Amino acid sequence: MKKNFFLVFVTAGALLCSISCSKQDLTEETQLTEGPETTMATASTSSRVFFEGVNGHPMNQAPYTYTSPEAQINLIKSLGMNVYRIDLPVNSKGEVNVPHRLDRLKKAADAAGVTLLPMIATPNLENFKYDEGYYYRKGHALGSKFAKLYGEYFTYYNIGNELDNKCILSSSKAGDKAAHYDIKKFRRIAACLRGMNDGIKIYDKTAKTMINASWMHYRYLSMIEDLGIRFDIVAYHWYDEMEQLAKQSYNIDDFTKFLSSKFEKPIWFTEIGVRDNTGTGSRSVQYQTSFFNSFITKCRNNPQVQAVIIYELFNEPHLSYVQEQHYGIYKWLSLYTSYAPKPFAAERLKSLAQ
C-alpha cells in the first residue's frame, strides 16, 4: 500500500522460526499448516511456520538502491525477522529489470535464512476494455515467463497488489458485499489473476500464491474463491486507522480473528503500517511502536496467521506523498548514507541483545 486510500473511506518473534531458505524445506513445513483443516479451532502452533518481516523496494526506489542488498538483509536479520516482501518490476518477457541486484539480494537472503516474497504486479489492465479471455492470457503469459526464469528463487508469490481498490464502486462502499464492486472490472481482474496463478504453477509446481485486499474488502477475496481461482494464501493489508475504525464501526477488536472466520486458507498480513503525516511527536515515536507490538501479538496468537510484514524498512523522504515519507522503521540521519532505528526497531534490537 502506498497512498492513504482509506482517508477517502473515512470521509464518506516469540514464535519466530529459524528456517532454511531451501524451497523443499519451506514447502514441507508449510504443508503442515495449509489446507481445509487449518482453522482457528484446529490449527496447531507446534508445527506452525511463522514469518515476521518487513517490506522494501530494493529494485527501484532511492532509499534502497543507495543501500546495498546485503545491508538490507543484515538489518532484517538483526531485527530477528525472516521475510522480506519486495516489489519486482518485470518486463514483458518476465524478466526482472535489474537482475544483478536481485541475484545479490537472493544470495544474501539465503545466507541469512531470510525468505524473499516477490510482489508481481499484473499486466496493464488497459481500462478494462477487453474481454476476460484477453486478461487471462496476459496474466498467464506473465506468470509463466516469470516462474520459468525465477521458479528456483521463490516459494511464495504475491500476485497483484490491492486490485480490490480498482473495482470498488465508490468510497462510500465498505467492500463487504458483492454489490459494492463493479462486476465487469472485478471479473477482468479475476481473469488476470487466474492467468498469473495458472502460469506460475506450470513451471513452479510447489508455488504458493497469494492475493491481497485491505480494509473490509474481504468480500473481494471470497468472490475470487467463488470463481474457483486456485490461490493458496489470503494476503491482507491493515493500517492503524483501519484498526481503530474496525472497532468503532464494526465492534471488531481483533481483525485477525474476524478474517479467520471468513476464510479457511492460511492468512498473511503482507502490509501493516502507521499513517504518519509529520514524522515527529508522540504519534511516530510512541504510536508506531504500540500499534506494531499490539498487532504482531494478535498475529502470533492466531494459529491461522502465518505471517505479519511491516510496511516498510526505510523512510522515503523523496516521495511527494507525505505519509509515505514516514512509514519506515529506520530513518535517515544523512540522506541515503547513514540511518538509525526508529523506536520500534530500537526497542526490538535492544530486546534481542539482552
Side-chain angles (χ1 to χ4, degrees), residues 197-210:
N197 178 79
D198 292 352
I200 287 168
K201 290 177 177 178
I202 287 176
Y203 288 102
D204 188 350
K205 304 298 184 184
T206 64
K208 301 296 180 183
T209 56
M210 61 187 75

Side-chain angles (χ1 to χ4, degrees), residues 15 20-21 37 53 56 87 108 176 220 230 242 249 295 348:
L15 194 54
S20 163
C21 256
E37 298 304 316
D87 51 331
D176 56 343
Y220 162 83
R230 297 186 300 275
M242 300 176 187
S249 302
F295 196 77
R348 192 177 181 105

